[in-house]
Structure formats: C-alpha cells, structure tokens
Amino acid sequence: MTPASAKPYRGVFPVAPTIFDDRGELDLDGQRRCIDFMIDAGSHGICILANFSEQFVLTDAEREEVMDAALKHVAGRVPVIVTTTHFSSRVCAARSRQAQEAGAAMVMIMPPYHGATFRVSEKAIFEFYRVISDAIDIPIMIQDAPVAGTPLSVDLLARMAREIPHISYFKIEVPMAAAKLRDLIAAGGESIQGPWDGEEAITLMADLDAGATGAMTGGGYPDGIRQIIDPYFAGRREEALAAYARWLPLINYENRQCGLQACKSLMKEGGVIGSEAVRHPLQKVHPATRAGLIEIARRLDPVVLRWGR
C-alpha cells in the first residue's frame, strides 16, 4: 500500500472530535491526547474541524485555536485534512489559505448551502470550487454528504476533477455510495485520485469493492478500520470481509445510535480524554445507549479502551 505520507493519500483518515471540558470550553490538552491516541491507533492521517468535530458550534477564533493546536502537535507525523466549509467563496478561500499556511495536507469542503432552502446553481458550485482552487496549492476533497442537501451529479464532480486543478479527492457518503463511487471513477478516470468512503464506514466493503481508496470514519477505533482496509489492499478480500463483519455492529451502533458522540464516549471510557461533553444544544447520549456502545466495543478490544489506562 502507498505510504499515507505520499500522494495519492489513501488509507484510514478518521475525523478527530473537538474536545471540550465539562463546562463546554475548549480542552486543548485533551485535544492533543486525542490526536496522539488516533495516531497510535493506526490512523494514516487525521481530519479536523469536520461535522463530526462539531465544527458548527465553534467560533471562528476557536476554529483557529483547534487547527493551530492540532497541526502543531501532529508536527508532520501524519497528513492532516482541515475542513474549511463555508457558504461564502471568499471566506472559504481565506479559511483554506490559512489551513495551507498552517500545514494542512488537504482541505475538505462541502458545496455551499445554508439552512433548508439556500442553495446555489450547478454553475455557481463549479465557480465556488474554482475560487478555492485558485487560492491554494494543496488538494481539495469535495464532501458529498446528505447534510448539505445539494445534489452533486457524477458528471459535475468528474468535470470539476478534470477542469479545476486541485480537485482530486471525493468523500462520498450519500445513499448508494458504492454506485456513485463506481460511476465517478469511470467518468473521471485519472483525475479521480482519491475516491473515498465516509459515513462511519457503514458501507465500507461495498465502497472498497467499488474502488474506494480511503475511508474517513469516526475517530474512536482506527485500528478496527485498519483491520478491514489493510488486508483488502493487500489482496486478501476474505480476511477483510471477515473483519468488516466483526466490526460492523460497532460501526452500526455509532452510525445509528450515537453519532458524533461515539468516539468521545469511547475516548472517555478509555482514559484518552477527561470529558465527553458536547456543546449545547446537542445533548449527551442516554446512559443506556452509551452502555450499549461500550458493551459492543469491549467485545472487540479496540485500542481506545486501553490507551489511557
């Protein structure tokens, strides 16, 4: 497998949660421990400030604090993808330049959207990504996610990959992701450097079979995802399939029951971080739901439950 430090980037690039203390303030020491755990657990790279990082509850100043703390602490050990999504082309370009200057290996950006109805045309989406590309010299990953509510056709994505210089990575997490990945690879050819799986790896095997070369999952168990990815890329599909079946109950529990709080609960349980707090109006998962998560996780013995003990 190509080393994660080389391009094209591939492998397991989980999303790091943003760590708060029990009062809801940034816990940068906890953030650094989180990063250390994720690297020790086998992450080929890390994504920060994504939706699973609660980027939507941070001020701009806090975004900068988290980005600077994370990139300085990683210190080149693994590539870091910084999410710079914003509705405004100008603001998104500025965020992306700032991320590049701070040491980001890549930026990840959703198409412009706001609320339930503010969308822009396909022409404007194309121009939006071209503005970002003109502002930076690092790869752009387009995040094709239901949360944006913006249809991104395979033809549009492939055209952007061919015609906009830095667009070459795609995180596909819409329904029927495998079919879209397969069609995108066929339509974009060599312009598609990184067709990636998302959505906590719930469709990982199908996406790998469709040609996915990376997985952006939750941050709680990179070692578990590696047990699927590594044998698959080594040509041992049956071993990968068995590992997927083994880890799927935990993946499903994260995806369907706990959402972005799963990795925080696992990290708190394993002593990685001191608080699993999320920012209001988000609510903590029910204790019974949390207990179910930990019960399933213990059967798999992930690094997260041992790392801080």
Side-chain angles (χ1 to χ4, degrees):
M1 187 170 68
T2 303
S5 59
K7 295 179 184 178
Y9 300 118
R10 50 194 280 135
V12 182
F13 279 63
V15 173
T18 300
I19 309 305
F20 305 113
D21 62 23
D22 285 337
R23 300 170 301 159
E25 301 298 325
L26 290 180
D27 176 5
L28 295 181
D29 287 338
Q31 193 72 56
R32 295 181 188 98
R33 283 176 58 82
C34 165
I35 294 292
D36 285 338
F37 151 71
M38 291 177 67
I39 294 174
D40 288 350
S43 302
H44 292 112
I46 292 172
C47 178
I48 61 173
L49 298 174
N51 291 328
F52 257 43
S53 312
E54 297 174 74
Q55 59 89 10
F56 42 79
V57 301
L58 300 176
T59 67
D60 286 348
E62 287 174 329
R63 285 179 54 87
E64 293 181 22
E65 280 190 81
V66 171
M67 181 177 72
D68 289 343
L71 286 167
K72 286 176 181 175
H73 192 64
V74 169
R77 288 178 284 169
V78 295
V80 177
I81 299 172
V82 178
T83 307
T84 58
T85 296
H86 196 280
F87 187 89
S88 162
S89 304
R90 179 175 180 175
V91 174
C92 190
R95 282 183 173 184
S96 300
R97 279 194 303 271
Q98 185 180 31
Q100 174 180 295
E101 290 165 2
M106 188 189 306
V107 292
M108 183 171 73
I109 304 168
M110 284 188 289
Y113 76 97
H114 178 72
T117 59
F118 278 38
R119 301 292 184 273
V120 300
S121 67
E122 190 169 284
K123 177 177 181 290
I125 292 170
F126 185 95
E127 292 171 351
F128 169 83
Y129 281 109
R130 185 169 57 189
V131 166
I132 313 308
S133 180
D134 288 346
I136 59 176
D137 298 310
I138 57 177
I140 297 168
M141 174 176 283
I142 294 179
Q143 183 179 4
D144 185 9
V147 67
T150 303
L152 295 172
S153 70
V154 167
D155 287 346
L156 174 62
L157 293 175
R159 179 177 164 233
M160 289 194 287
R162 289 191 301 267
E163 298 181 19
I164 301 178
H166 300 300
I167 290 181
S168 50
Y169 290 82
F170 302 84
K171 181 186 180 187
I172 306 298
E173 46 190 342
V174 294
M176 311 300 288
K180 191 164 190 177
L181 282 163
R182 191 174 287 110
D183 290 346
L184 177 60
I185 293 166
E190 293 182 357
S191 299
I192 312 299
Q193 291 188 30
W196 282 22
D197 164 88
E199 204 183 5
E200 301 78 69
I202 194 81
T203 59
L204 181 55
M205 275 304 299
D207 294 345
L208 289 171
D209 285 341
T213 59
M216 187 176 289
T217 62
Y221 41 98
D223 50 317
I225 306 301
R226 284 286 301 266
Q227 291 177 28
I228 305 165
I229 288 274
D230 289 357
Y232 192 93
F233 288 151
R236 303 191 305 273
R237 186 178 179 278
E238 285 299 319
E239 182 182 335
L241 189 59
Y244 179 64
R246 194 165 59 247
W247 286 87
L248 188 55
L250 183 59
I251 293 169
N252 179 73
Y253 208 95
E254 176 179 24
N255 179 263
R256 304 299 293 175
Q257 304 299 326
C258 297
L260 63 84
Q261 296 186 54
C263 64
K264 287 190 175 186
S265 294
L266 291 166
M267 289 181 185
K268 174 65 164 63
E269 187 71 17
V272 178
I273 57 177
S275 173
E276 58 195 280
V278 292
R279 271 196 173 164
H280 197 269
L282 294 178
Q283 305 289 313
K284 285 186 177 181
V285 296
H286 191 278
T289 302
R290 185 188 188 279
L293 175 77
I294 303 304
E295 178 183 34
I296 291 173
R298 289 203 184 282
R299 294 172 180 265
L300 296 160
D301 192 31
V303 172
V304 67
L305 297 181
R306 297 181 269 112
W307 190 86
R309 297 301 182 189

